[in-house]
Amino acid sequence: MRYRTRVTAPAALLGTVAALSVASPAHADPETAVPGPETLGDPVFPGLGNDGYRVSAYHLDFAYDATTRLVDATATLTVTTTQELSRFSLDSLGLATRSVTVAGATAAFEQVGEKLRITPAGPLSAQQTVSVVVAYSADPRAALAHTAWVPTPDGFAICPQPNSAHTVFPCNDHPSDKADFTFRITVPAGLKGVASGHLVSTEDLGDGRTAYCYRSREPIATEIVQITVGDYVIKDRQGPHGLPLRDVVPTARATALEPALALTPNLVSWIEQRLGAFPFETYGLLPCNNDASNAFDFTGLETQTLTLYKPNFLLQAEKSIGSHMMHELVHSYFGNSVSPATWSDLWLNEGHADFYGLLYRYERGWADSLGLTTMEARMKDTYARGDQWRKSSGPVAAPNEANLFDSQRYLGGVLVLYALRRQVGETVFAAIESTFLARFRNGSASTQDYIAVASEVSGTDQSGFLGAWLYGTKTPRMPGHPDWTVTPASSALRQPQNRTDGHWHDNSATL
């Protein structure tokens, strides 16, 4: 976890670069300053992220043109160097960069692959805090190797996970470098701009356009930022303990979607009883106005404070959607409040989301996709598949880019948590969960961090037990179930993917 002092700059909401406070350190030595590394060495996405600095805050100023359907934008980053730098880079793809300034001075830049290389007017010294301003434009409909943009008939939403936030704004696109966010979204009459966090101000610009300003109370990982423009109605309701809930709904579909939206308060109450108070200032759903099969690879995505959904999914009966709505809500705790230190730690997100999503399903007596109605029955079925999944998809905590979102990270992760709960008992397991969430709140944590907390809270070294479950090539014995058996692995069996329509991200057992 990276500990830092959070930046608070209310004037940044107005998009004024001058409002960002920066330090005035001694000059760097041109002889010792070197280019910053253009990767953070992630085991799944080795080219993602950049080193030599950390970002403490982003201010994103977007203006949407409904005629051209293009976005004119300025991204202002507050960065602090960790070494002397002659040059540094941001992740960037598909963005038409016009200009870059560093500490108020014009900087040279070039686009190389998915990196925007920036050379400031003079080298930066170590521990120097500077403002980096990138002016650019973007086309949400552009064909790219991968993209976070989700075009809609009246605007766009974004779906950045796992590695596409930098197709929307230049950034240090890795969940280990979380930052504060403010947003200013300017839209023409008839449209609304909405973003993660809470609404700070609405400004009538007097020319038929309106600027909406949002601010996050807590830091956000780039992969779960949300920015959306469209013909929306904002539906406000109250959650438990006065928690403000807001849904951002296509106006034409608001009535049809209301039954699903009305489920949220009870969902929040249920998870708060198990994981504690909701960690953010608000929560709600964004059923964006695009049901196309290729719009994005998820049924839902836990963008912070505003979960993105395909609307048609939410038009189903409660027993068909409630379990997955819980899955996405749980990500506010595991994945958003506590982000993965690397993408190999994804099981912490998806395993926990499916674990509580399935518990919620079975408590309500809803059969799952296999027709099973208890956690024990589903885990026995999953246990039998264990060796095959380890052979075809690798251990739970050792994914690669191709199999990152398959069932081993979801149900395989549930099986690990189920085994741990049986090993230590429900009371200790609950204490492990709450301690982990409290200790790493607003930061990022690794699999080893979770193992360390489990060992500390249980009073017993769990590294061997959890190490075998998370990294072993063979499925360990299930505590309390000596009768459970594992089906021998066969090379003829397919990988552990539930879906057959090509959207491999939808391998949650809660669907």
Side-chain angles (χ1 to χ4, degrees):
M1 178 180 181
R2 178 169 61 86
Y3 295 93
R4 59 181 176 79
T5 300
R6 297 187 60 218
V7 173
T8 55
L13 289 167
L14 300 178
T16 55
V17 175
L20 292 169
S21 177
V22 297
S24 299
H27 294 293
D29 185 348
E31 299 298 322
T32 57
V34 297
E38 293 186 340
T39 175
L40 287 173
D42 189 272
V44 178
F45 296 103
L48 201 60
N50 308 272
D51 212 350
Y53 66 89
R54 290 295 179 266
V55 183
S56 60
Y58 293 87
H59 176 67
L60 304 180
D61 193 336
F62 279 29
Y64 178 69
D65 187 319
T67 302
T68 64
R69 302 181 68 181
L70 301 179
V71 174
D72 188 71
T74 301
T76 302
L77 293 69
T78 303
V79 308
T80 300
T81 61
T82 57
Q83 64 180 71
E84 291 189 342
L85 291 174
S86 62
R87 187 186 76 202
F88 62 95
S89 60
L90 300 172
D91 296 305
S92 175
L93 174 65
L95 306 178
T97 302
R98 296 191 302 274
S99 65
V100 179
T101 65
V102 177
T106 299
F109 63 90
E110 62 174 333
Q111 185 74 40
V112 181
E114 297 190 20
K115 302 292 180 179
L116 180 65
R117 288 180 179 166
I118 299 172
T119 304
L124 304 178
S125 60
Q127 300 305 313
Q128 181 175 356
T129 299
V130 296
S131 174
V132 179
V133 182
V134 182
Y136 65 99
S137 59
D139 182 354
R141 298 164 297 162
L144 302 172
H146 58 94
T147 185
W149 295 101
V150 183
T152 63
D154 46 8
F156 62 85
I158 64 171
C159 184
Q161 194 182 81
N163 63 331
S164 293
H166 61 278
T167 66
V168 177
F169 58 99
C171 56
N172 200 25
D173 200 0
H174 195 271
S176 65
D177 196 20
K178 299 170 74 166
D180 297 325
F181 274 82
T182 57
F183 310 84
R184 187 174 192 264
I185 310 167
T186 301
V187 296
L191 301 180
K192 286 186 173 66
V194 186
S196 297
H198 61 280
L199 181 65
V200 174
S201 67
T202 302
E203 181 183 1
D204 184 347
L205 301 181
D207 57 0
R209 298 184 305 153
T210 303
Y212 296 90
C213 297
Y214 290 81
R215 182 190 188 111
S216 67
R217 188 187 68 188
E218 315 292 351
I220 310 178
T222 54
E223 51 105 4
I224 47 174
V225 166
Q226 184 55 255
I227 308 166
T228 185
V229 168
D231 179 8
Y232 292 125
V233 58
I234 310 300
K235 291 197 167 188
D236 296 309
R237 67 191 83 224
Q238 192 171 86
H241 318 299
L243 175 70
L245 300 176
R246 57 97 191 250
D247 299 309
V248 180
V249 194
T251 301
R253 309 179 77 166
T255 301
L257 288 163
E258 178 57 26
L261 306 177
L263 300 174
T264 299
N266 286 336
L267 291 165
V268 175
S269 293
W270 188 91
I271 199 59
E272 284 194 332
Q273 293 170 18
R274 288 150 182 84
L275 297 180
F278 187 75
F280 301 118
E281 65 266 47
T282 185
Y283 183 69
L285 310 187
L286 168 62
C288 81
N289 197 16
N290 190 334
D291 276 304
S293 60
N294 62 350
F296 48 95
D297 280 345
F298 303 86
T299 293
L301 177 66
E302 64 277 11
T303 48
Q304 193 155 309
T305 71
L306 193 59
T307 293
L308 177 72
Y309 276 104
K310 291 182 177 175
N312 280 347
F313 173 76
L314 295 174
L315 295 177
Q316 302 176 86
E318 181 183 1
K319 67 178 181 179
S320 298
I321 62 175
S323 181
H324 194 67
M325 289 178 70
M326 179 59 70
H327 171 110
E328 299 299 348
L329 177 58
V330 170
H331 277 313
S332 293
Y333 298 82
F334 291 96
N336 294 16
S337 181
V338 181
S339 298
T342 72
W343 282 108
S344 63
D345 303 308
L346 181 74
W347 80 273
L348 285 167
N349 300 18
E350 304 303 346
H352 277 99
D354 257 16
F355 180 84
Y356 291 101
L358 286 173
L359 285 178
Y360 184 77
R361 176 189 290 276
Y362 299 137
E363 277 194 16
R364 273 144 189 76
W366 301 332
D368 61 28
S369 60
L370 301 181
L372 304 174
T373 56
T374 67
M375 180 68 89
E376 183 168 337
R378 187 60 187 259
M379 290 299 95
K380 183 177 182 180
D381 178 88
T382 303
Y383 184 82
R385 305 168 191 259
D387 280 4
Q388 177 58 46
W389 286 12
R390 289 169 188 267
K391 179 176 181 178
S392 59
S393 187
V396 174
N400 57 41
E401 183 175 353
N403 63 33
L404 178 61
F405 287 97
D406 71 15
S407 294
Q408 182 71 311
R409 261 39 79 190
Y410 292 76
L411 266 175
V414 177
L415 191 66
V416 173
L417 297 172
Y418 178 84
L420 177 61
R421 190 175 67 166
R422 294 199 62 84
Q423 175 80 350
V424 302
E426 291 192 17
T427 300
V428 173
F429 177 77
I432 291 170
E433 299 282 87
S434 61
T435 301
F436 179 78
L437 289 171
R439 183 165 301 172
F440 297 100
R441 179 171 179 167
N442 293 334
S444 57
S446 68
T447 298
Q448 293 307 312
D449 290 326
Y450 187 81
I451 293 173
V453 169
S455 299
E456 174 190 327
V457 174
S458 68
T460 303
D461 184 1
Q462 300 294 342
S463 58
F465 178 81
L466 284 173
W469 277 97
L470 289 163
Y471 297 107
T473 58
K474 294 292 183 180
T475 306
R477 293 280 188 180
M478 177 60 70
H481 283 298
D483 55 315
W484 284 14
T485 58
V486 180
T487 303
S490 168
S491 59
L493 294 179
R494 67 191 297 272
Q495 290 191 355
Q497 296 167 323
N498 299 331
R499 298 292 296 252
T500 58
D501 59 5
H503 296 290
W504 299 127
H505 291 171
D506 273 352
N507 283 304
S508 169
T510 60
L511 287 166

